[in-house]
């Protein structure tokens, strides 16, 4: 448990928030849609702490907040339609899913290891001040505990995340109150993944956003068979260790779940690139972030069994 402070939005609150973010701790901050739980999108452990604070039992890619289209273009690959939408609606409640650019510097946990990234330039001055003060892209899901509704006031955040975040920046009630519209521009045609405040008159894509049920196949999974709860490698396996189980690589030699979550997708990608035909992963405790790690590992293993 940490002590949760609530500070009114202003230069001091933003400076305190920026210091926490630079140290890898998430901070709740208002956007024009809902309050977000913001963390350094380039730091895997900071992103892992966002999941930890939300108590979410699974990993889902997060929206990355940027100041403007110029900063966004360093991270995602814009086509003409994406550029046009950004010109029309940014800053504002529109999120664009774009192909992730190599060398973007984002942690692989932000995108759940996927080759696409969700980007949004928010309009709220508090989030914009924080983007300027930290000078880095900020991952921010809604600032509620898993399974609770999105917060539109600092009090909602406090009820939901008290003891789990160090700082809530109170900017009063949010103006829009509904999460951003999400549009995928990575395919040939624009696809609406989540309806929201901006009505683009697009049909909702089958499946919607990746957190919708039945979207498991769109999650990143290694292309090789995966064996769980492995204490040593069998023939042909690349073993990903954890804690006391040494492997060819490790999620965390210290058995630290924050570190393990931060590295999960990098280790899976690395294992996938090896000449050995199979992957094994050491047991990870089913508690805290371990729940989300195991959820992802089980899906990866089941995906191969089923297909
Ligand atoms: O208004 C908002 O969008 C708020 C504020 C804080 O900005 N944020 C928000 O983030 O709602 P979050 O993390 O709760 O919602 C992220 C949504 C999820 O449905 C996720 O599946 C989808 O965005 N998403 C993120 N990256 C994606 C990707 N690469 N491809 C498809 N969907 C993606
Ligand atoms: Mg949410």
């Amino acid at each position: 448990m940490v002590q949760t402070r609530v500070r009114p939005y202003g230069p001091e609150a933003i400076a305190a928030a920026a210091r926490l973010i630079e140290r890898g701790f998430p901070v709740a901050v208002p956007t024009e849609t809902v309050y977000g739980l913001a963390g350094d999108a380039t730091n895997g452990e900071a992103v892992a702490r966002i999941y930890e604070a939300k108590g979410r039992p699974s990993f889902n890619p997060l929206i990355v907040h940027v100041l403007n289209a110029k900063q966004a273009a360093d991270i995602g690959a814009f086509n003409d339609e994406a550029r046009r939408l950004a010109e029309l609606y940014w800053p504002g409640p529109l999120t664009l899913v774009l192909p992730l650019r190599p060398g973007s510097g984002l942690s692989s946990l932000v995108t759940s290891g996927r080759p696409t990234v969700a980007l949004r330039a928010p309009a709220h001055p508090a989030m914009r001040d924080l983007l300027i003060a930290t000078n880095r892209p900020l991952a921010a899901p809604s600032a509620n505990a898993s399974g609770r509704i999105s917060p539109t006031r600092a009090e909602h955040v406090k009820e939901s995340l008290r003891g789990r975040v160090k700082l809530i920046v109170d900017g009063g009630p949010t103006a829009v109150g509904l999460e951003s519209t999400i549009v995928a521009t990575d395919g040939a045609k624009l696809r609406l993944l989540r309806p929201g405040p901006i009505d683009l008159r697009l049909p909702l894509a089958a499946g919607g956003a990746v957190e919708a049920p039945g979207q498991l196949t769109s999650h990143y999974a290694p292309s090789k068979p995966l064996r769980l709860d492995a204490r040593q490698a069998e023939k042909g396996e690349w073993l990903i260790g954890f804690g006391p189980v040494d492997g060819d690589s490790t999620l965390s030699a210290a058995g630290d779940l924050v570190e393990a979550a931060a590295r999960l997708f990098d280790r899976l990608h690395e294992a996938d690139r090896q000449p050995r035909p199979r992957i094994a992963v050491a047991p990870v405790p089913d508690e805290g972030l371990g729940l989300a790690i195991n959820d992802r590992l089980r899906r990866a293993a089941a995906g191969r069994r089923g297909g």
Side-chain angles (χ1 to χ4, degrees), residues 34 70 72 93 140 162 188 203 205 221 223 228-229 253 264 274 307:
V34 300
K70 186 172 173 292
R162 191 203 314 256
S223 64
L228 305 180
D229 293 322
L264 176 64
Q274 303 303 319

Side-chain angles (χ1 to χ4, degrees), residues 54 56 141-142 144 150 179 194 211:
K54 283 181 68 88
R56 202 175 200 170
S142 49
N144 51 282
S150 292
E179 291 104 332
R194 180 171 75 184
E211 75 184 353

Side-chain angles (χ1 to χ4, degrees), residues 33 60-61 63 65 116 118 120 140-142 179-180 182 194 209-210:
T33 58
N60 206 37
I63 295 174
H65 297 69
T116 55
R120 166 161 120 78
S142 49
E179 291 104 332
S180 61
I182 305 182
R194 180 171 75 184
V210 291

Side-chain angles (χ1 to χ4, degrees), residues 87-111:
E87 267 165 28
L88 279 171
Y89 297 108
W90 280 1
L94 176 71
T95 296
L96 297 173
V97 173
L98 307 164
L100 181 63
R101 288 182 56 155
S104 69
L106 290 196
S107 131
S108 60
L109 189 57
V110 170
T111 56

Side-chain angles (χ1 to χ4, degrees), residues 260-275:
R263 288 181 177 173
L264 176 64
F265 293 101
D266 292 337
R267 292 295 181 259
L268 288 173
H269 278 291
E270 179 189 51
D272 227 3
R273 287 194 303 265
Q274 303 303 319

Side-chain angles (χ1 to χ4, degrees), residues 52 56 242 255 257-258 284-294:
E52 190 178 46
R56 202 175 200 170
F242 178 81
L257 290 169
V258 169
V284 175
D286 236 340
E287 61 191 35
L289 278 172
L291 290 170
I293 294 171
N294 285 325

